Amino acid sequence: ATAVFEDPFLIEIHDDENSSLEEDRYICLGSLKEFLIVVVAYADRNGIIRLISARKAESKEKEAYYESFKRKTGRNSTV
């Protein structure tokens, strides 16, 4: 799941609902090896990354990833 951080088109959103003063939490949407779109939740506690969960993206999440890819590149995704 950590390979998702290598995706140059990664979508990362701060998770306000689950963050605390001790750690910031994020939800990422990206591809693994250019063929599988995944959702990864992780925490950043003083610069140390802790994976919380990872799962295959659902249809609407995949659509969001592909739309973002199109906007950033001006072309369709090859994923």
Side-chain angles (χ1 to χ4, degrees):
T2 57
V4 74
F5 298 112
E6 298 171 13
D7 179 0
F9 304 106
L10 181 74
I11 300 170
E12 183 177 62
I13 302 165
H14 187 262
D15 184 358
D16 293 329
E17 186 176 322
N18 293 302
S19 291
S20 68
L21 293 175
E22 291 79 32
E23 69 180 13
D24 286 316
R25 290 192 178 190
Y26 299 88
I27 299 171
C28 296
L29 184 58
S31 71
L32 294 177
K33 308 284 185 189
E34 299 182 5
F35 69 91
L36 179 65
I37 308 300
V38 296
V39 177
V40 175
Y42 75 94
D44 182 347
R45 185 181 290 180
N46 300 320
I48 297 172
I49 302 298
R50 180 174 64 89
L51 290 182
I52 297 169
S53 67
R55 63 174 172 77
K56 188 175 174 180
E58 296 176 1
S59 295
K60 289 193 182 251
E61 293 163 331
K62 289 178 188 178
E63 288 176 28
Y65 178 82
Y66 295 137
E67 285 300 316
S68 177
F69 182 93
K70 287 180 203 176
R71 280 194 310 276
K72 291 176 181 178
T73 64
R75 61 185 174 91
N76 289 329
S77 171
T78 57
V79 178

